[in-house]
Amino acid sequence: MEWEAVIGLEIHTQLATASKIFSGSSTRYGAPPNSQASLVDLGYPGVLPVLNAEAVHMAIRFGLATGCTVARRSVFARKNYFYPDLPKGYQISQYELPIVYGGHLDIVMEDGRVKTIGITRAHLEEDAGKSLHEDFQGLSGIDLNRAGTPLLEIVSEPGLRSAGEAGNYMRAIHTLVRYLGISDGNMQEGSFRCDANVSIRPMGESELGTRTEIKNLNSFRFVEKAIQVEIERQTDVLEDGGSVVQETRLYDADRNETRAMRGKEEANDYRYFPDPDLLPVVVGEALIERLQADLPELPAAKRVRFAEQYGLTAYDADVLTANPESADYFEAAVNASRSASPKTVANWFQGELTAILKREGVDVADTRVDAATLATLLDRIADGILSGRMGKDVLEALWNGEGSVDGIIEARGLRQISDAGAIEALVDRAIEGFPEQVAQYRSGRTKVIGFLVGQVMKSSRGKANPRQVNEMLRRKLAG
Ligand code: ADP
Ligand code: MG
């Protein structure tokens, strides 16, 4: 029997507000434990939450960017459960009336085709605190700095059909929230994490199978791996004549397996009810219009524009627009360059520069070689002053702070030999010096040209313009 996987994601993204959703405490990451927890975050009696308007604006921006309906009236509810990192005994969330609902987002599938994924809803809620286990023997520490950080929970329709599609959808949402400037999307710091709901059903069946929910996946790779092993586990269960139990599971990355956490019988009954401390959120037309007018160019539109305007492949356009910093860098470099083609800029950005950024563990936003400098470097290559090989060395030198492009060229005596007379002399010397290879070339083994070019380059100490050397050699050998 052939099985079809059905997946829906619940993505929690921390909103990039300066202060918390219901208190004035800072949301900054990494402060000493409990130094950013006010009486509201600590759940003291007698204090009242006050809604942060900026969090609402950010949620609406997301809704508008995904074609959601913006609720003119939405309501905060209490989700009741007990946990040490939740001192109030309830989490303020939205339940029946979320802030935005009924939208969609296009993703690129593994085969390159585009698929539209439904977004059921996105609702506002507060994050919980954190339990700390490492530093406390036999005890747990509680850090409430994160308590009350605004979250937008984005719930998809069960429209994803493979682990790869789920990964691509999560990447697309990540790209979008970064473009909208509503989240830093930092996954190491937990700003962007997801629960994956997974079921399988016989191919062609229209009813949904029983699902499990894998909690708290915090990287694209883990989302894909966890879903893949869960699909395989469910397939084994069903093919052995068993049935899938609806339950919450955890992914163990070390063993690459999912494990039951709690079953439906023990599922929490959250006893949701409208929070009496908070008024309904009423959103007016003027606000929606203003937020709509403020939306930036969205990733999908930028991808299409990059491909058309700069003559890039769909793949290049996709990579370059994956985050706003890369897209801005590329466009700034193209605009600053006089003679390099956009394709060349794309190649150097995705190849050489990205390799250095990865090696050094630095984000594009913090690059030590800015777009204008890369443009100058590529101009020198396009103008024949530097070879590609020399260009790579100059890029390293730029990264190491050795000065400007032209300063480094001078200091290192890197000027490429492009003078036709000088190159002819070097070529003649190679033809004289390697009669055997010349004979081979002339008898049809034309691959040997690589060897001869190499000899010329060597005798010029790598400074001869390789394109000119190649042309001159071919001309002389043919003649
Ligand atoms: P809950 O709030 O209990 O987690 P929801 O009905 O809100 O449940 O669904 C949560 C997520 O699970 C959504 O993303 C939805 O698309 C997905 N989902 C629901 N049913 C299934 C199913 N049978 N298989 C896979 N995903 C599902
Ligand atoms: Mg859920």
Side-chain angles (χ1 to χ4, degrees), residues 348 377 387-400 402 408 412 414:
W348 276 76
L377 172 61
S387 67
R389 172 66 255 162
M390 293 169 174
K392 290 177 192 179
D393 294 341
V394 173
L395 185 59
E396 289 287 348
L398 288 166
W399 186 272
N400 295 329
E402 290 179 26
I408 292 167
R412 297 191 166 199
L414 279 177

Side-chain angles (χ1 to χ4, degrees), residues 425-440:
L426 292 167
V427 165
D428 285 342
R429 188 138 38 97
I431 287 175
E432 257 175 54
F434 298 94
E436 203 178 309
Q437 283 78 2
V438 169
Q440 281 173 359

Side-chain angles (χ1 to χ4, degrees), residues 66-88:
T66 50
C68 281
T69 302
V70 178
R72 300 311 193 257
R73 183 176 176 281
S74 66
V75 169
F76 282 102
R78 289 186 182 181
K79 179 180 180 177
N80 299 280
Y81 67 96
F82 176 77
Y83 206 74
D85 64 16
L86 188 74
K88 289 199 299 292

Side-chain angles (χ1 to χ4, degrees), residues 325-362:
E325 292 82 13
S326 295
D328 290 350
Y329 187 102
F330 167 77
E331 223 165 16
V334 168
N335 289 334
S337 167
R338 278 180 299 96
S339 20
S341 72
K343 178 67 191 161
T344 300
V345 176
N347 287 347
W348 276 76
F349 175 72
Q350 286 163 239
E352 307 312 322
L353 184 63
T354 299
I356 296 179
L357 291 169
K358 277 214 176 112
R359 186 187 73 205
E360 305 286 328
V362 171

Side-chain angles (χ1 to χ4, degrees), residues 10 197 211 213 215:
E10 297 163 272
N197 296 268
R211 71 175 149 128
E213 179 172 1
K215 282 282 183 196

Side-chain angles (χ1 to χ4, degrees), residues 6-10 120-121 155-159 197-200 208-213 246:
V6 175
I7 302 145
L9 299 188
E10 297 163 272
T120 315
R121 56 189 274 164
V155 182
S156 85
E157 291 288 296
N197 296 268
V198 180
S199 65
I200 62 170
L208 294 175
T210 304
R211 71 175 149 128
T212 60
E213 179 172 1
Q246 180 168 346

